[in-house]
Amino acid sequence: MSNIALQIERTTAGSVVDGANVIFETVVYSSGNISYNDITGIITFNEPGRYFLNWWVATQSIASACGVVFSLSSSQGDFLDGNSPSKLGVVPGVGIIDVVASPVTLSLVNASDALVYYSAIVPVTATLVIIEDDIPEIGPTGATGATGATGAGGGATGDTGPTGATGATGVTGDTGSTGATGAIGDTGPTGAPGGATGNTGSTGETGSTGPTGATGSTGPTGPTGATGATGPTGATGETGATGATGTFEPNPFAVYVQAGAVGGNGTQASPFGTIQQGVAAVSPTGTVHILGGTYPVTSTITINKAGVTLKGYPSTVIQLQAAVILFLVTGSGITIDGLTITSDNPYAVEFIQLAGTNHKLVNNVIFGPPQAGPSTGWVVNRGFLTQGNVVNLIAQNNILYSLRQPAYFNPNSTGHIVNNVVYNSRGFVVDQAIFVFSGNSWGSPENAVDIALLVGTITGPPYDPLTDLSANNSDASISDQR
């Protein structure tokens, strides 16, 4: 048994914003191949297995009429909710996850629609316990040991065993040859006259049929009778009443959103009015069509349904109006396509934060409001950011500008950054992540640096030689801090 277990606690009050991780400051118990980062609130399972999870959070208040929701979110797409209708009390949760291929990350996320305040009157405000459900297996049977030595001679002879069963009868031998035929005896006497008459002989063949006589000529056809008169046409009956017009039922795989719409049901004819409504209504692998218009956003929109696409149009503009993450993307296979994203002020947050696997950011325009002075003093606003251990992110054909950084890639993230245009920023920042940069270009005003490789980032491909990296990305300027 691998004996993997972890217990962590939070002992302080404070608050947690919508979409952020619960931070546990204390590790009460830790055993086996599992780790916890008390800065980010992320747990890492370093060994496959089945794990049982039990947690609770003591809450004091929330600015929402819908209660409190916390969820365990993993990098392999698990999203286990625990909720409570009460704003003052305890929100509990339990669950089981199967870690199929390690490493897998996990965090407890505020999945409510508003900021949550922890209780200020209890010594422990949150606890999370993880125990591996380790099922022992019976190993294969070992090889048979060598036969022991034969004992010393001279022992008494054992009793005679019982007589065995009689064997099967043998095969019958060949039959001997037939003896010679004896002599023929004398013929018996002839019978008396008057015996029975013999059988009648067979009938002779029938003679051939004579030829058929000639057919006589056909008689003349009689005259055709006169056609009768057509009767009058009957009167036309009354037209029936027109039936009721049918309605279009909402399709959960094609949901529509239109800025300012009221009372819609998500169809193209009657769209929802907010992106949040569209994300809540769409089914996994479905598409939320965000029609043209300006969408003001003041709280984080969490997207955690596998395979969902947010599809924008040429006049679709998303405007962030608060210092919160605009889109928190978790789970797997989510695509954000064709959106124009900006904010009314420079906020020290990223527009898009990603966790999980196989996400795509394609054909988007992301930019911040102008900031005065040199970029070294700008508010740290970013186009997008990966959490640790994001796998196979693709960012392609996007335009990013007037940002402190177009993107920040945290440790152990992987993916491809292809054919993007970036200008008036301090460039992509690679922090111990592995991304292939190809075909990217740089506009004006120039970036302070196009690509920055921080301390701890790997040497060798895909970054070295640096001359190739620069040449493959429109003569990029590279800050190598490794």
Side-chain angles (χ1 to χ4, degrees):
M1 297 178 64
S2 52
N3 191 27
I4 296 176
L6 176 70
Q7 181 179 356
I8 50 181
E9 289 184 349
R10 178 183 177 90
T11 57
T12 59
S15 62
V16 56
V17 300
D18 179 20
N21 295 338
V22 174
I23 304 299
F24 299 88
E25 314 100 324
T26 304
V27 177
V28 179
Y29 180 83
S30 179
S31 173
N33 205 2
I34 188 171
S35 61
Y36 173 66
N37 186 324
D38 60 5
I39 302 299
T40 63
I42 295 176
I43 299 159
T44 302
F45 298 94
N46 296 304
E47 184 174 315
R50 185 170 64 191
Y51 296 86
F52 173 76
L53 306 96
N54 191 343
W55 56 268
W56 57 262
V57 180
T59 61
Q60 181 169 308
S61 68
I62 178 174
S64 169
C66 300
V68 187
V69 182
F70 285 90
S71 295
L72 285 170
S73 174
S74 79
S75 60
Q76 67 179 12
D78 302 289
F79 210 76
L80 309 178
D81 282 341
N83 52 66
S84 171
S86 175
K87 303 178 183 179
L88 177 61
V90 172
V91 181
V94 296
I96 295 174
I97 67 169
D98 268 317
V99 174
V100 178
S102 61
V104 169
T105 60
L106 179 81
S107 60
L108 184 59
V109 178
N110 175 12
S112 311
D113 59 2
L115 179 105
V116 175
Y117 288 92
Y118 299 110
S119 175
I121 60 174
V122 294
V124 178
T125 54
T127 292
L128 171 60
V129 175
I130 301 174
I131 300 174
E132 182 183 22
D133 185 9
D134 198 346
I135 303 174
E137 297 181 355
I138 299 175
T141 304
T144 304
T147 305
T150 304
T157 301
D159 296 335
T160 301
T163 301
T166 302
T169 303
V171 179
T172 303
D174 295 335
T175 304
S177 59
T178 305
T181 303
I184 299 172
D186 297 333
T187 301
T190 301
T197 302
N199 295 329
T200 303
S202 58
T203 304
E205 295 180 359
T206 304
S208 58
T209 304
T212 304
T215 304
S217 58
T218 304
T221 304
T224 304
T227 304
T230 304
T233 303
T236 303
E238 295 181 0
T239 303
T242 303
T245 303
T247 58
F248 290 96
E249 292 295 326
N251 178 1
F253 294 96
V255 178
Y256 289 82
V257 176
Q258 175 73 67
V262 178
N265 61 3
T267 61
Q268 188 171 7
S270 180
F272 291 127
T274 67
I275 299 171
Q276 292 92 332
Q277 289 175 296
V279 171
V282 73
S283 291
T285 72
T287 298
V288 179
H289 296 269
I290 306 175
L291 302 176
T294 299
Y295 296 79
V297 177
T298 57
S299 62
T300 297
I301 300 171
T302 300
I303 312 169
N304 56 19
K305 297 177 181 178
V308 161
T309 296
L310 266 61
K311 173 64 177 175
Y313 292 82
S315 57
T316 301
V317 178
I318 316 297
Q319 186 181 67
L320 183 65
Q321 296 184 353
V324 299
I325 296 167
L326 175 58
F327 292 119
L328 176 61
V329 179
T330 63
S332 64
I334 291 168
T335 298
I336 297 178
D337 179 6
L339 299 180
T340 297
I341 300 173
T342 187
S343 60
D344 60 350
N345 284 300
Y347 297 117
V349 293
E350 59 273 12
F351 287 110
I352 304 171
Q353 184 179 120
L354 302 116
T357 61
N358 300 317
H359 302 311
K360 293 182 180 179
L361 302 178
V362 293
N363 307 316
N364 300 292
V365 177
I366 305 176
F367 64 96
Q371 299 189 55
S375 60
T376 52
W378 287 3
V379 166
V380 184
N381 59 342
R382 294 166 173 156
F384 60 96
L385 173 146
T386 66
Q387 296 184 10
N389 300 305
V390 168
V391 177
N392 194 31
L393 170 66
I394 297 176
Q396 185 172 4
N397 296 332
N398 300 291
I399 301 174
L400 305 105
Y401 63 93
S402 297
L403 301 159
R404 173 66 178 258
Q405 292 155 356
Y408 192 103
F409 305 111
N410 271 301
N412 302 318
S413 297
T414 66
H416 294 76
I417 309 301
V418 182
N419 295 341
N420 300 286
V421 178
V422 179
Y423 59 93
N424 197 28
S425 79
R426 297 191 65 79
F428 293 107
V429 178
V430 180
D431 184 2
Q432 304 175 62
I434 302 176
F435 279 82
V436 177
F437 289 81
S438 176
N440 298 290
S441 58
W442 327 102
S444 179
E446 294 181 349
N447 302 311
V449 62
D450 297 326
I451 302 172
L453 306 176
L454 300 189
V455 175
T457 301
I458 65 168
T459 58
Y463 305 124
D464 297 300
L466 293 177
T467 53
D468 289 350
L469 177 61
S470 176
N472 291 334
N473 291 277
S474 307
D475 296 323
S477 63
I478 299 171
S479 172
D480 187 2
Q481 304 171 28
R482 297 173 293 175

